[in-house]
Amino acid sequence: ADYMFPNGVCAYTQNAKDPNGQSLDPDIHNYMNYVYGCSDYHFSDDQKTEINNSLFHSTRNYVRPNYTPNLATVTGSPTILSPTSGQTVATYNSVPLSWTALAGADKYLVEITASGVANRYISNTNSLTLTNLLPNKNYLWRVMGYNEYSTCGGYSGQKIFKTGDQQVSAANDLPENATWSVGPNPVRSGSPFFINVETTNGLEADVRLLTTTGQVVKSLPKYKFESGQTSLEISSEGLPAGIYLVSLQTVNGFHTQRVSVVQ
């Protein structure tokens, strides 16, 4: 009941009585009271019993009584890894974002702002690839970790990056009746991965491995993939963990796929 608590006054002084004329002594720290601004709120034992009676009643099976959420408290904020301030990424329709994982967080809220308009995305991991950005445009971004129980973590610092003008094509969008793939993906640092090309007529391409900012890490100009199935081995020895771009540039265009290097 509402016993006319003044908000922010954590003591009852209104002298209300029950129907038998007994003075009321309400629990000012009970969740069901109408007072705000106190602390150490709780449910009474009787309230807990009634909550459980309702939760586990057969008519309430739809609320998944056997489900236990992540109850870890999320504190602090993630640290942005890539792209960081001042970076220009090579592409615009496939831009990988990454940040440090936050203890207790199993979801991340990513905020991307351009021209004063903010768009928000939810990721279940500490990375996200955006496919709807515009070329040659500045974007401001930040990220916050949380879970179902704890949503009061802080945002990371804001970082600004610029998209490039290169477009990532679909995996099977190659000329000369060719398809290609990259694997294994992710690949453990120090182990090789393979560019697998299948073509009926053979294919010549400039093969490059780049960072997300466009820095060339490895280059094989005018590499000839024979007709049929061909696998080109690429070493990841010495590569720091992160996301890289594998590109094939043919006379018909520029084609890119992502590969993740993990420790």
Side-chain angles (χ1 to χ4, degrees), residues 199-259:
T199 175
T200 57
N201 301 321
L203 177 69
E204 183 177 279
D206 291 334
V207 180
R208 295 186 182 92
L209 180 66
L210 308 98
T211 67
T212 57
T213 60
Q215 179 184 358
V216 177
V217 179
K218 299 179 185 293
S219 178
L220 293 171
K222 298 187 181 304
Y223 186 87
K224 292 183 179 181
F225 294 93
E226 302 296 335
S227 60
Q229 294 183 345
T230 305
S231 292
L232 171 61
E233 180 176 326
I234 302 294
S235 172
S236 67
E237 188 71 36
L239 293 180
I243 298 174
Y244 295 83
L245 302 177
V246 180
S247 78
L248 301 182
Q249 187 168 5
T250 71
V251 293
N252 289 10
F254 179 87
H255 310 273
T256 304
Q257 292 190 44
R258 297 180 302 276
V259 62

Side-chain angles (χ1 to χ4, degrees), residues 187-203:
V187 60
R188 190 168 299 279
S189 180
S191 300
F193 63 92
F194 298 87
I195 301 174
N196 305 302
V197 174
E198 183 173 358
T199 175
T200 57
N201 301 321
L203 177 69

Side-chain angles (χ1 to χ4, degrees), residues 112-190:
I112 307 290
T113 303
S115 302
V117 178
N119 290 291
R120 296 176 178 85
Y121 307 84
I122 292 176
S123 175
N124 294 326
T125 65
N126 58 317
S127 64
L128 175 69
T129 297
L130 298 178
T131 59
N132 59 345
L133 303 184
L134 298 176
N136 301 312
K137 190 173 182 65
N138 289 321
Y139 288 89
L140 190 70
W141 76 292
R142 60 180 185 169
V143 58
M144 180 186 76
Y146 70 99
N147 60 40
E148 291 177 294
Y149 173 76
S150 181
T151 60
C152 295
Y155 273 104
S156 66
Q158 289 185 319
K159 304 294 182 181
I160 189 170
F161 68 91
K162 185 177 181 179
T163 53
D165 57 6
Q166 296 180 7
Q167 183 175 6
V168 174
S169 303
N172 61 352
D173 186 20
L174 272 180
E176 294 91 18
N177 298 317
T179 60
W180 71 301
S181 63
V182 177
N185 191 8
V187 60
R188 190 168 299 279
S189 180

Side-chain angles (χ1 to χ4, degrees), residues 16-163:
K17 297 181 179 180
D18 67 14
N20 296 322
Q22 298 295 317
S23 295
L24 295 172
D25 184 22
D27 181 357
I28 63 174
H29 297 290
N30 193 282
Y31 275 115
M32 304 305 294
N33 270 323
Y34 285 78
V35 63
Y36 303 97
C38 300
S39 60
D40 300 325
Y41 289 105
H42 59 262
F43 290 109
S44 70
D45 290 340
D46 287 343
Q47 287 170 331
K48 293 177 183 178
T49 298
E50 290 305 313
I51 289 171
N52 278 283
N53 288 343
S54 174
L55 177 63
F56 292 102
H57 193 272
S58 59
T59 60
R60 301 278 307 245
N61 286 338
Y62 65 90
V63 296
R64 298 176 296 159
N66 294 322
Y67 172 70
T68 301
N70 178 3
L71 299 178
T73 300
V74 179
T75 59
S77 57
T79 298
I80 286 177
L81 297 178
S82 178
T84 188
S85 281
Q87 288 189 346
T88 298
V89 298
T91 60
Y92 68 90
N93 70 326
S94 182
V95 177
L97 311 178
S98 64
W99 53 90
T100 56
L102 197 59
D106 50 28
K107 294 183 184 295
Y108 295 90
L109 179 64
V110 181
E111 183 181 88
I112 307 290
T113 303
S115 302
V117 178
N119 290 291
R120 296 176 178 85
Y121 307 84
I122 292 176
S123 175
N124 294 326
T125 65
N126 58 317
S127 64
L128 175 69
T129 297
L130 298 178
T131 59
N132 59 345
L133 303 184
L134 298 176
N136 301 312
K137 190 173 182 65
N138 289 321
Y139 288 89
L140 190 70
W141 76 292
R142 60 180 185 169
V143 58
M144 180 186 76
Y146 70 99
N147 60 40
E148 291 177 294
Y149 173 76
S150 181
T151 60
C152 295
Y155 273 104
S156 66
Q158 289 185 319
K159 304 294 182 181
I160 189 170
F161 68 91
K162 185 177 181 179
T163 53

